[in-house]
């Protein structure tokens, strides 16, 4: 029994030494000015991330997001439009497939599902969002430990529903490649 336990411990240590764990995340900032309202709306996002490279092509990970700032518009069931402060939390597990490597560049696509909960502080409204989609990206390996990562665009489905009585979900399906769908991050590889 002692030999079996020692063998299992050695296997666990060897697996951990060969593990390709990465940690990092992204920071986001968005500012939009509404001429009609003569007001600027600004949001900040922090999204730490942890992942594990299963092999040369596949990785799995999860990102946690926190966003705070101004919400420009949200329409309720009566057609009323809200503006005000919002905070949102998001969890986003994903699987990553690297389909091409060129020198220090890795080109990949993430398949993800996500859930977020936003709280509109000024109006006591909460909005739950569920989504699923694909997001292409590129990683530049600065060295063996540091990678710069960018995502642009997405193809997916998202459903958003506020928490008040009689609320109906807003759903969206589409392909988007816009500046608002661009994000940058930094990873540290162990």
């Amino acid at each position: 029994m002692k030999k079996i336990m020692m063998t299992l411990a050695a296997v666990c240590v060897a697996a951990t030494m060969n593990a390709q764990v990465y940690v990092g995340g992204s920071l986001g900032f968005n500012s939009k000015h509404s001429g009609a309202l003569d007001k600027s709306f600004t949001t900040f996002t922090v999204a730490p991330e942890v992942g594990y490279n299963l092999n040369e092509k596949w990785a799995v990970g999860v990102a946690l997001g926190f966003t705070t700032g101004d919400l420009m518009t949200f329409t309720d069931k009566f057609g009323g439009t809200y503006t005000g402060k919002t905070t949102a939390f998001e969890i986003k597990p994903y699987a990553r497939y690297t389909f091409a490597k060129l020198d220090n560049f890795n080109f990949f696509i993430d398949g993800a599902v996500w859930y977020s909960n936003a709280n509109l502080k000024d109006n006591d409204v909460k909005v739950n969002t569920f989504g699923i989609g694909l997001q292409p990206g590129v990683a530049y390996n600065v060295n063996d430990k540091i990678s710069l990562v960018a995502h642009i665009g997405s193809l997916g489905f998202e459903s958003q529903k506020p928490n008040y009585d009689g609320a109906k979900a807003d759903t969206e399906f589409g392909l988007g490649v816009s500046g608002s769908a661009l994000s940058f991050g930094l990873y540290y590889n162990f």
Side-chain angles (χ1 to χ4, degrees):
M1 183 67 155
K2 191 175 184 179
K3 288 182 182 180
I4 292 172
M5 294 303 283
M6 292 301 286
T7 303
L8 286 175
V11 168
C12 289
V13 168
T16 303
M17 289 174 59
N18 290 327
Q20 294 295 315
V21 176
Y22 56 92
V23 295
S26 60
L27 298 173
F29 167 78
N30 189 32
S31 183
K32 184 175 188 176
H33 182 78
S34 169
L37 298 174
D38 194 28
K39 184 175 178 180
S40 292
F41 299 88
T42 304
T43 57
F44 299 94
T45 302
V46 176
E49 186 175 333
V50 63
Y52 181 82
N53 290 309
L54 301 171
N55 56 39
E56 290 279 323
K57 296 277 186 187
W58 287 97
V60 293
V62 64
L64 302 173
F66 172 73
T67 301
T68 185
D70 303 310
L71 179 71
M72 185 166 165
T73 58
F74 175 77
T75 305
D76 69 8
K77 66 180 177 179
F78 305 109
T81 300
Y82 295 115
T83 61
K85 299 288 184 189
T86 184
T87 56
F89 295 94
E90 179 180 67
I91 183 166
K92 186 177 188 178
Y94 63 87
R96 175 171 294 164
Y97 178 71
T98 301
F99 57 87
K101 291 185 177 198
L102 228 75
D103 294 327
N104 290 349
F105 289 93
N106 295 342
F107 298 90
F108 60 85
I109 190 157
D110 286 349
V113 295
W114 58 91
Y115 168 78
S116 72
N117 179 277
N119 182 14
L120 286 66
K121 293 179 185 178
D122 299 343
N123 304 300
D124 197 31
V125 173
K126 291 182 172 44
V127 179
N128 294 306
T129 303
F130 169 78
I132 185 167
L134 299 173
Q135 188 172 28
V138 61
Y140 175 73
N141 301 314
V142 177
N143 56 39
D144 289 342
K145 298 292 184 188
I146 305 291
S147 298
L148 303 174
V149 178
H151 290 90
I152 185 163
S154 64
L155 169 65
F157 169 82
E158 190 170 84
S159 175
Q160 210 175 55
K161 186 175 180 185
N163 68 335
Y164 52 77
D165 290 337
K168 294 185 178 178
D170 291 336
T171 58
E172 181 179 359
F173 176 79
L175 172 65
V177 182
S178 69
S180 63
L182 178 65
S183 69
F184 295 98
L186 176 72
Y187 291 169
Y188 181 80
N189 302 292
F190 289 95

